[in-house]
């Protein structure tokens, strides 16, 4: 999908001021509310905007430990293991990957003992051969998309 300069300005506002009204966004951008709404609808329809809910902190919810768990899966069981991972609430993301392992999960836990319990739960899932865990010590670059949006906007402006 082609994202133009106006789209990137809209996305920047959504990222910087997520609780502002559509009417206010239109005023800030100097465009008609209908134009803005049509752009937002298209960006959602085309999968650029995938959600509008709040961003939550697992740490503030009592789960300050963050780990990345690589999971090696018995051949032919990737879908079943992936489905089983969806039933583990401490897994906040899971991806099929190349390289060392078949799945990479982002896991949160209350403490190291709880993390061990979660890993033991993962190891016991049918189709899981082994796991390898890496505990995050400190977040160095928080999840962000604004620099990417700005880069796409610069490219769009260059034509």
């Amino acid at each position: 999908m082609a994202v133009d300069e106006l789209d990137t300005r809209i996305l920047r506002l959504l990222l910087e001021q997520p609780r502002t009204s559509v009417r206010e966004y239109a005023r800030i951008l100097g465009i008609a509310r209908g134009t803005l709404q049509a752009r937002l609808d298209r960006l959602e329809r085309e999968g650029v905007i995938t959600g509008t809910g709040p961003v939550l902190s697992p740490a503030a919810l009592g789960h300050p430990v963050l780990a990345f768990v690589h999971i090696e899966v018995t051949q032919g069981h990737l879908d079943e293991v992936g489905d089983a991972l969806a039933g583990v609430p401490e897994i906040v993301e899971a991806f099929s990957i190349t390289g060392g392992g078949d799945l990479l999960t982002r896991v949160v836990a209350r403490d190291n003992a709880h993390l061990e319990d979660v890993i033991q739960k993962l190891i016991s899932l049918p189709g899981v051969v082994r796991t390898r865990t890496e505990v995050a010590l400190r977040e160095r670059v928080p999840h962000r998309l604004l620099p990417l949006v700005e880069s796409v906007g610069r490219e769009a402006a260059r034509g």
Side-chain angles (χ1 to χ4, degrees):
M1 126 145 232
V3 174
D4 65 18
E5 193 173 0
L6 177 57
D7 291 335
T8 61
R9 289 176 53 216
I10 292 168
L11 294 171
R12 173 187 261 276
L13 269 178
L14 290 173
L15 291 169
E16 291 179 335
Q17 301 176 35
R19 296 178 65 125
T20 302
S21 70
V22 171
R23 181 183 316 241
E24 181 62 10
Y25 288 143
R27 186 194 67 73
I28 291 168
L29 293 167
I31 60 175
R33 186 184 166 286
T35 300
L36 175 62
Q37 191 61 59
R39 292 287 185 126
L40 290 171
D41 292 345
R42 181 179 56 81
L43 291 167
E44 286 181 17
R45 191 173 51 254
E46 294 182 359
V48 175
I49 298 173
T50 58
T52 57
V55 177
L56 305 178
S57 165
L61 292 170
H63 289 68
V65 176
L66 170 62
F68 299 93
V69 180
H70 298 258
I71 302 173
E72 187 177 322
V73 176
T74 304
Q75 271 191 319
H77 291 85
L78 192 60
D79 288 338
E80 298 96 85
V81 172
D83 291 343
L85 294 178
V88 180
E90 295 86 358
I91 294 179
V92 295
E93 290 182 296
F95 301 91
S96 299
I97 60 168
T98 63
D102 300 298
L103 293 164
L104 175 63
T105 62
R106 187 170 144 215
V107 178
V108 295
R110 293 185 300 273
D111 52 34
N112 287 344
H114 181 222
L115 177 60
E116 182 181 8
D117 294 342
V118 173
I119 293 166
Q120 291 302 320
K121 187 185 304 184
L122 298 178
I123 291 170
S124 71
L125 293 175
V128 172
V129 175
R130 74 179 48 87
T131 65
R132 188 180 90 245
T133 303
E134 298 165 351
V135 176
L137 300 176
R138 181 181 300 161
E139 183 177 67
R140 297 293 180 167
V141 178
H143 179 78
R144 69 212 179 119
L145 291 173
L146 186 55
L148 177 63
V149 167
E150 290 172 339
S151 174
V152 169
R154 283 190 298 274
E155 291 296 318
R158 280 191 272 248

